[in-house]
Amino acid sequence: MTNATRERLLDVAQALYEQDGADAMSFRAIASLAGCSHTKAYSYFTSKADIIDALRVRAYEWVLSTLSTAAALHDDPMCALRGLAEAYIREGVARPRMYELLYTATGEADEEDPRLMEAKTAALGVCADVIDAAATEAGVEFVVDPLTAAHIFWAGAHGVVDLELGGFLVVGRSLDDLLPVALSTLISGLTKEALP
């Protein structure tokens, strides 16, 4: 069994999922497009749900790559924070099915599955590291610790993506109208003096 075959099967499954959703994925279709028998596919994955779990890990790795690349474009941590949030939102809107794998696709794995937890932790860690750098290197005062701030920032960014993908940003304000305001509000809210 080669890792290359497993990755080829996942590449095909991901393409099918992003094009037509989970209903388009069957072992026979995936195996056929990957150039192997469906019985061979079963030697790598136990079920369709198992494939979805592997795709969910890939989705978090995609987010990790997106955030890391965006953060690396900026020397100033606060610019990096804004840049990674915008990249997350833009990518999520551009690839809705891939984004769906993060939160709504279900496989067999529990949310505490080590594979998923490692991928989630790494992705969130990029945001936490940038916030930590803003506090330690740029002297920005946050009202909460970096990990809490990262969760709040992620929640805000997710809300923007979710509203855009759900077709709710149609009442007088577009994503482009709201994005800079949303990011500025999140940043200022996390860096103001805490209320008593």
Side-chain angles (χ1 to χ4, degrees), residues 1-9 27 30-31 36-48 50-51:
M1 288 192 261
T2 67
N3 198 43
T5 302
R6 182 182 187 277
E7 292 305 305
R8 189 166 70 250
L9 289 164
F27 265 87
I30 293 167
C36 68
S37 68
H38 73 281
T39 53
K40 185 171 184 177
Y42 275 107
S43 65
Y44 294 94
F45 301 99
T46 59
S47 64
K48 179 174 165 178
D50 190 27
I51 293 174

Side-chain angles (χ1 to χ4, degrees), residues 32-140:
S32 174
L33 290 169
C36 68
S37 68
H38 73 281
T39 53
K40 185 171 184 177
Y42 275 107
S43 65
Y44 294 94
F45 301 99
T46 59
S47 64
K48 179 174 165 178
D50 190 27
I51 293 174
I52 291 174
D53 289 333
L55 292 180
R56 292 191 71 208
V57 171
R58 270 192 169 194
Y60 280 102
E61 290 170 347
W62 161 67
V63 169
L64 172 62
S65 176
T66 296
L67 298 183
S68 299
T69 299
L73 295 175
H74 305 278
D75 292 329
D76 176 77
M78 292 306 286
C79 290
L81 183 59
R82 183 181 292 274
L84 68 82
E86 181 165 0
Y88 174 88
I89 291 167
R90 298 281 186 197
E91 281 292 300
V93 169
R95 296 181 69 183
R97 288 199 193 272
M98 191 69 163
Y99 190 80
E100 175 183 272
L101 284 164
L102 300 174
Y103 303 108
T104 58
T106 56
E108 294 176 335
D110 184 274
E111 289 302 313
E112 301 298 315
D113 179 278
R115 298 171 299 167
L116 282 175
M117 283 303 297
E118 182 179 349
K120 289 177 182 181
T121 301
L124 185 63
V126 175
C127 189
D129 288 347
V130 169
I131 291 170
D132 185 57
T136 58
E137 297 170 19
V140 177

Side-chain angles (χ1 to χ4, degrees), residues 164-189:
E164 174 69 6
L165 293 180
F168 295 107
L169 299 184
V170 293
V171 189
R173 295 292 181 273
S174 69
L175 176 64
D176 289 333
D177 294 329
L178 295 177
L179 187 52
V181 180
L183 297 182
S184 293
T185 301
L186 279 169
I187 290 170
S188 64

